[in-house]
Amino acid sequence: MEIIILPTPAEVGQLAARKVAQTISTKPAAVIGLATGSSPLEIYAALAAQVQGGFLDTRQVRGFALDEYVGLPREHPQSYASVIHREVVEPMRLDPAQVQLPDGRAADLEAACEAYEAALRDAGGVDIQILGIGGNGHIGFNEPTSSLRSRTRLKTLAPQTRADNARFFDDPEQVPTHCVTQGLGTIMDAYEILLVAQGSGKGAAVAAAVEGPVTAMCPGSILQFHPHATVIIDEAAAAQLVLADYYRYTYANKPAWQRF
Ligand code: F6R
């Protein structure tokens, strides 16, 4: 893993956006793995600014979301279909037909999960997967004790996740109890991983994922097995890293030939 610590959340968003833009510039029909939640918002805003300024062409870009709530109508403002449309598709001028999410409303959820896996395979896999991390170490909605080889499936949201996401709803009781999420095995199939985290609330999860043992108790720790994972975090999220000085030194002395 490459760990990059930057002073502010805004710098995290800018650098992460640079990485995604690089992928799109190299491959105009790139498949981008899309996370929802607060963590990637600055990435999407920075990419949208590049698109709207005429510096980045996203017309051929394809997108696959990580997860979707079960039980929310598609048109609910907090369904991930709505969030992805509002925060990603429209500002980044993506073709809506090229952006897919797991179907949280399917009558046969198991078949819908299999169809999502097949769609990911048919697309040729995810070129770069954007990830946030939950306070409990989840990535996607793979809550602690998720199988490290799991595929897209139904999951029960952890109480902590429901409490964390209550900020998006008028009433905490409205937060769905279940979701459909790409599995850890699905996420690990991406060619490249880009995890961002900001704020002290993510400090323990980041430290466990990056420096702890690989364990289903911290699903993000599976990324230690990924051959090309970059973790970009602000100082607050880095506060519990034992080797923070080493990561700062490594980034400051990164040879020019080393790919970013
Ligand atoms: C979102 C997702 C989650 C979030 C995580 C962090 O699609 O899969 O893993 O990335 O819950 O959420 P925020 O960024 O809101 O702190």
Side-chain angles (χ1 to χ4, degrees), residues 35-39 66-67 80 132-134 138-141 167 202:
T36 49
S38 307
S39 308
L66 276 173
D67 36 29
Y80 283 169
I133 187 165
H138 73 217
I139 52 174
F141 277 139
R167 69 190 192 278
K202 299 295 173 71

Side-chain angles (χ1 to χ4, degrees), residues 87-100:
E87 307 289 354
V88 184
V89 173
E90 284 200 325
M92 284 179 58
R93 297 185 184 158
L94 302 189
D95 175 356
Q98 298 280 18
V99 178
Q100 304 194 42

Side-chain angles (χ1 to χ4, degrees), residues 34-41 65-68 80 84 130-136 138-142 161 164-165 167-168 181 187 196 198 202:
L34 301 166
T36 49
S38 307
S39 308
L41 290 179
L66 276 173
D67 36 29
E68 176 59 289
Y80 283 169
I84 291 281
I130 300 168
L131 291 177
I133 187 165
N136 64 2
H138 73 217
I139 52 174
F141 277 139
N142 294 282
T161 303
D164 288 346
N165 287 5
R167 69 190 192 278
F168 296 115
T181 180
I187 292 170
V196 291
Q198 308 90 346
K202 299 295 173 71

